[in-house]
């Protein structure tokens, strides 16, 4: 295996500009996600607002391979609330003590990738850069990968002659990387929140940044996916300022194959019991018959 | 709302799980009858052989229809760029594709063999060979293979759901076991329904006993399934689809027919057809409930 490449995303410097989303759409020629695509004669309809802070993307989709999240937190208790109830009512009604967490979410290019594991056609492969890539001409649209991904990254999409009906997600700009270019999103990021490089280099940088933040009085700063605890490590890992769940990231995602052996053994037990039941049902009567008429011969 | 996105496995998959379960359950019990049943009981096995292969063909159609690129269905078995076989033993869907193929081949042989045995192939006296082959050690060995293929088809679908990150599905290891028991109960119910006029009273009674035992097992595994969800158990029993499974399958499809069978003697009547229908409806609701309960907790539907 040659060197693994990926993203280190420092969420503390994300300003929520969504330049990464725009760059991703441009480079990968992803259409805007509208209610109705514009035509020659009609301008097209925009999507309804999500009403969720500045987030109007909502979630990953077949055309949104990046998704900048805006998490609103209110640290200061609103009038009349006790300290204990704060954690249960994070919104202060006037929203004048708001704290924003912003994070540009993307495919994690997991070291042990659930999507790649379950893919029955071999459409999902690991590239020479250790990224996870979907080969559109191979995918037959079974959607196993969609339910396998613990981050909700993969969605089905594509138009005629553009991989219609196949699984879509971030490619880590495989086409750019093959020509020595930085992925579009990292190139566009104005604050270097999204950093691209060799995973080993990025980890050193990230660990130093966490140490600096701890020294500056932010003990909550933590890395997500930099070690091997989450799916063997994430080739797109994060520096977070709160628990993963606050960012909508799973703290303990599951590897699909973990279930195969125990589930199979339990199902074998079930089959064995069904067979024993059948044995009892069909043999018992024969024994009774035999007892009633011992002269009757076995078949 | 969970984080995992919905694979949108809808009606086609529910239909496949249900019909495939019936085919597998009937075929499983047919193999067992071949091994241990009396000559009379073999009548029931023959019914299963007539049922299994056509149902499997139906299943293949459902599965291919469910793909977003149906013309590429063969990519599951053959690598489209190298033309080598495609097989990943750690991916239940990959294993399942081969199980389906194996079941298809085995059930086709059984189907043709039964046609020959019943003299419907116009083979004349050669039809008798099919029968002697069936009763020979080769036939017994084949019955074991039948049971293995049927077990695979019945169970892998449950393991497939568990091997994801979808809530409920991935929080238990009992779906494979549950689907196996449900395949048996619905497969036997289908045989009872199909042959309640033609088969001997005694064979039907044996089959009914086997069905009741499978249903009892299914009920126990279902309880185990809810317990195995741990912290999510409460959400499952209040989830509308979870309720469909608990009330529809557990109550209507299992408890009620079991009760009716227990009361058959004191009441002096055994509503065999009603019971079999209830079990079949329960089996359908089991697949429906489990599938949609999981998908209802995913992040983005569509």
């Amino acid at each position: 295996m040659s060197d693994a490449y990926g993203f280190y995303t420092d969420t503390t410097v994300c300003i929520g500009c969504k330049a990464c989303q725009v760059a991703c759409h441009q480079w990968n020629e992803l259409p805007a996600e509208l209610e109705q695509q514009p035509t020659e004669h009609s301008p097209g309809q925009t999507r309804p607002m999500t009403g969720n802070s500045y987030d109007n993307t909502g979630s990953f989709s077949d055309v949104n391979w990046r998704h900048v999240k805006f998490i609103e937190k209110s640290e200061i208790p609103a009038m009349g609330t006790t300290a204990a109830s704060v954690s249960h009512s994070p919104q202060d009604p006037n929203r004048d003590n708001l704290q924003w967490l912003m994070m540009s979410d993307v495919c994690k290019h997991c070291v042990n990738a659930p999507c790649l594991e379950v893919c029955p056609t071999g459409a999902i492969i690991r590239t020479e850069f250790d990224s996870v890539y979907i080969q559109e001409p191979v995918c037959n649209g079974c959607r196993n990968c969609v339910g396998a991904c613990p981050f909700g990254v993969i969605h089905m999409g594509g138009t005629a002659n553009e991989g219609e009906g196949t699984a879509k997600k971030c490619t880590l700009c495989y086409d750019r990387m093959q020509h020595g270019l930085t992925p579009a999103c990292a190139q566009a990021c104005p604050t270097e929140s999204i950093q691209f490089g060799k995973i080993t280099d990025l980890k050193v940088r990230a660990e130093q940044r966490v140490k600096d933040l701890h020294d500056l009085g932010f003990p909550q700063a933590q890395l997500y996916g930099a070690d091997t605890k989450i799916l063997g490590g994430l080739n797109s890992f994060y520096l977070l300022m709160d628990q993963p769940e606050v960012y909508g990231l799973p703290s303990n995602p599951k590897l699909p194959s973990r279930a195969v052996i125990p589930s199979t053994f339990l199902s074998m037990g079930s089959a064995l019991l069904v067979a024993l039941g059948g044995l009892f049902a069909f043999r018992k009567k024969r024994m009774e018959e035999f007892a009633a008429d011992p002269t009757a011969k076995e078949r | 709302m969970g984080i995992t996105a919905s694979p949108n496995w809808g009606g086609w998959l529910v239909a496949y799980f249900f019909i495939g379960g019936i085919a597998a359950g009937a075929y499983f019990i047919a193999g067992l009858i071949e091994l241990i049943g009396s000559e009379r009981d073999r009548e029931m096995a023959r019914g299963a052989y007539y049922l299994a292969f056509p149902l499997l063909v139906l299943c293949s159609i459902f599965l291919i229809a469910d793909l977003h690129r149906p013309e590429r269905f063969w990519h599951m078995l053959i690598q489209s760029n190298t033309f080598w076989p495609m097989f990943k033993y750690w991916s239940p869907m990959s294993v399942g594709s081969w199980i389906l193929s194996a079941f298809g081949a085995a059930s086709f042989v059984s189907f043709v063999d039964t046609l020959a045995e019943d003299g419907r192939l116009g083979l004349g006296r050669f039809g008798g060979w099919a029968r002697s082959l069936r009763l020979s050690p080769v036939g017994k060995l084949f019955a074991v293979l039948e049971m293995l293929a049927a077990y695979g088809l019945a169970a892998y679908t449950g393991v497939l759901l568990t091997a994801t990150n979808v809530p409920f599905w991935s929080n238990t290891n009992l779906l494979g076991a549950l689907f196996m028991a449900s395949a048996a109960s619905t497969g036997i119910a289908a045989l009872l329904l199909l042959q309640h006029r033609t088969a001997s009273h005694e064979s039907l009674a044996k089959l009914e006993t086997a069905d009741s035992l499978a249903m009892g097992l299914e009920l126990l595994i279902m309880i185990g399934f809810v317990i195995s969800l741990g912290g999510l158990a409460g959400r499952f029993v209040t989830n509308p689809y979870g309720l469909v499974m608990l009330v529809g399958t557990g109550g209507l499809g299992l408890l009620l027919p079991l009760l009716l069978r227990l009361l058959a003697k004191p009441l002096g009547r055994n509503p065999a057809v009603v019971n079999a229908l209830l079990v079949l409806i329960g089996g359908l609701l089991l697949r429906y409930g489990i599938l949609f309960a999981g998908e209802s907790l995913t992040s983005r539907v569509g």
Side-chain angles (χ1 to χ4, degrees):
Chain A
M1 176 63 64
S2 55
D3 288 321
Y5 286 81
F7 296 126
Y8 151 49
T9 305
D10 180 353
T11 64
T12 60
V13 291
C14 178
I15 55 172
C17 68
K18 304 186 191 176
C20 49
Q21 286 188 215
V22 174
C24 179
H25 273 258
Q26 281 190 326
W27 179 260
N28 294 299
E29 297 184 327
L30 302 171
E33 193 173 58
L34 306 173
E35 282 284 281
Q36 180 208 326
Q37 290 294 325
T39 64
E40 235 177 291
H41 307 292
S42 74
Q45 278 169 19
T46 52
R47 296 182 65 202
M49 296 286 180
T50 63
N52 178 19
S53 193
Y54 275 46
D55 183 357
N56 208 32
T57 309
S59 74
F60 288 118
S61 74
D62 57 330
V63 293
N64 289 319
W65 298 351
R66 271 212 176 260
H67 169 212
V68 178
K69 291 181 173 178
F70 296 79
I71 296 115
E72 294 182 5
K73 273 188 15 165
S74 150
E75 298 277 270
I76 301 188
M79 290 246 283
T81 56
T82 62
S85 66
V86 172
S87 58
H88 300 292
S89 56
Q91 297 290 353
D92 91 75
N94 299 323
R95 302 207 173 188
D96 44 30
N97 283 306
L98 219 83
Q99 209 185 43
W100 250 335
L101 296 176
M102 295 167 206
M103 169 197 162
S104 180
D105 202 3
V106 73
C107 171
K108 312 298 179 294
H109 297 279
C110 318
V111 172
N112 297 321
C115 60
L116 189 152
E117 212 178 39
V118 298
C119 177
T121 62
I124 305 185
I125 56 162
R126 190 167 292 286
T127 70
E128 65 272 34
F129 305 111
D130 209 32
S131 60
V132 178
Y133 179 77
I134 303 176
Q135 306 175 89
E136 279 178 1
V138 181
C139 173
N140 67 7
C142 75
R143 313 186 303 289
N144 204 349
C145 54
V146 178
C149 175
F151 307 104
V153 165
I154 305 180
H155 290 82
M156 306 305 294
T159 49
N161 303 321
E162 294 278 343
E164 188 175 12
T166 60
K168 308 286 179 193
K169 75 167 190 74
C170 161
T171 65
L172 203 78
C173 281
Y174 189 35
D175 47 354
R176 289 174 65 93
M177 286 186 64
Q178 282 169 317
H179 294 89
L181 295 172
T182 298
C185 52
Q187 181 92 58
C189 181
T191 63
E192 293 191 340
S193 170
I194 303 170
Q195 301 186 25
F196 170 79
K198 277 186 195 170
I199 292 294
T200 42
D201 298 346
L202 292 177
K203 273 184 187 168
V204 173
R205 215 182 293 168
E207 274 152 19
Q208 184 58 46
R209 173 70 176 157
V210 170
K211 206 183 278 171
D212 291 349
L213 283 166
H214 285 176
D215 293 344
L216 284 169
F218 297 102
Q220 70 273 37
Q222 56 181 291
L223 293 180
Y224 178 79
D227 55 19
T228 55
K229 271 184 220 146
I230 291 170
L231 300 172
L234 306 178
N235 281 344
S236 172
F237 64 93
Y238 286 82
L239 190 159
L240 304 178
M241 294 299 276
D242 207 326
Q243 294 308 306
E245 280 82 0
V246 176
Y247 290 86
L249 294 169
S251 57
N252 190 22
K254 288 170 277 208
L255 196 62
S257 62
R258 92 216 169 273
V260 172
I261 287 174
S263 286
T264 303
F265 271 112
L266 284 167
S267 69
M268 280 177 184
S270 178
L272 209 65
L273 287 173
V274 168
L276 281 176
L279 198 67
F280 172 77
F282 281 91
R283 276 289 178 181
K284 184 177 152 257
K285 292 276 164 52
R286 279 181 76 184
M287 282 181 231
E288 282 167 5
E289 283 163 21
F290 189 72
D293 180 11
T295 55
K297 273 192 180 167
E298 289 258 332
R299 168 159 60 91
Chain B
M1 279 298 202
I3 305 165
T4 308
S6 172
N8 287 315
W9 286 336
W12 289 121
L13 263 280
V14 174
Y16 163 60
F17 287 177
F18 175 57
I19 302 290
I22 293 175
Y27 202 59
F28 186 83
I29 218 72
L32 193 72
I33 290 173
E34 289 291 348
L35 285 178
I36 59 149
S38 69
E39 180 55 30
R40 254 192 185 169
D41 300 331
R42 285 196 63 235
E43 189 62 38
M44 315 296 278
R46 285 220 286 280
Y49 295 145
Y50 280 131
L51 195 64
F53 181 66
L55 288 188
L56 182 95
V57 173
L58 207 59
C59 286
S60 318
I61 295 169
F62 292 166
L63 281 176
I64 292 172
D66 178 71
L67 296 176
H68 283 198
R69 293 298 293 257
E71 82 282 9
R72 294 180 180 172
F73 76 92
W74 57 276
H75 291 196
M76 302 263 191
L77 298 171
I78 310 284
Q79 293 180 37
S80 56
N81 38 10
T82 63
F83 296 102
W84 281 88
M86 180 70 219
F87 180 64
K88 289 159 91 168
Y89 64 85
W90 58 93
S91 162
M93 196 182 277
S94 180
V95 175
S97 306
W98 288 98
I99 289 175
L100 263 162
S101 310
F103 188 93
S107 62
F108 178 71
V109 171
S110 307
F111 185 72
V112 173
D113 177 79
T114 312
L115 278 178
E117 202 178 324
D118 288 352
R120 291 183 189 176
L121 283 184
L123 292 176
R125 63 193 176 85
F126 293 110
W129 292 9
R131 193 182 133 75
S132 14
L133 198 64
R134 253 290 170 205
L135 297 175
S136 73
V138 178
K140 298 287 174 200
L141 187 71
F142 191 70
V144 175
L145 290 180
E146 285 175 358
M147 287 180 76
L148 283 176
Y151 152 72
L153 182 61
Y156 99 85
T157 50
V159 181
L160 169 74
L161 293 184
T162 303
T164 60
N165 267 289
V166 175
F168 300 141
W169 303 353
S170 60
N171 295 96
T172 177
N173 273 318
L174 281 173
L175 282 184
L178 183 59
F179 280 19
M180 175 66 220
S182 169
S185 72
T186 52
I188 302 173
L191 289 182
L192 283 168
L193 202 61
L194 209 65
Q195 308 189 93
H196 75 278
R197 280 179 202 283
T198 51
S200 75
H201 205 71
E202 180 196 315
S203 296
L204 283 175
K206 290 179 190 175
L207 212 53
E208 213 162 55
T209 309
D211 199 26
S212 297
L213 289 171
M215 285 155 67
L217 176 70
E218 188 178 347
L219 207 56
L220 286 178
I221 299 175
M222 198 184 279
I223 295 165
F225 160 72
V226 175
I227 295 169
S228 71
L229 292 176
L232 277 180
R235 289 194 72 176
F236 186 80
V237 298
T238 51
N239 183 287
Y241 300 104
L243 280 172
V244 165
M245 190 200 95
L246 292 173
V247 177
T249 312
L252 253 141
L254 295 173
L255 276 178
L256 183 62
L258 278 174
L259 202 70
L260 285 175
R261 273 180 196 162
L262 275 178
L263 294 177
K265 265 197 185 143
L267 286 179
R269 46 179 305 199
N270 182 14
V273 175
V274 174
N275 277 341
L277 281 175
L278 284 173
V279 175
L280 284 173
I281 292 168
L284 180 63
L285 294 181
L286 178 87
R287 276 34 181 256
Y288 173 84
I290 298 263
L291 204 86
F292 286 103
E295 298 207 350
S296 71
L297 288 200
T298 50
S299 65
R300 184 190 168 101
V301 182

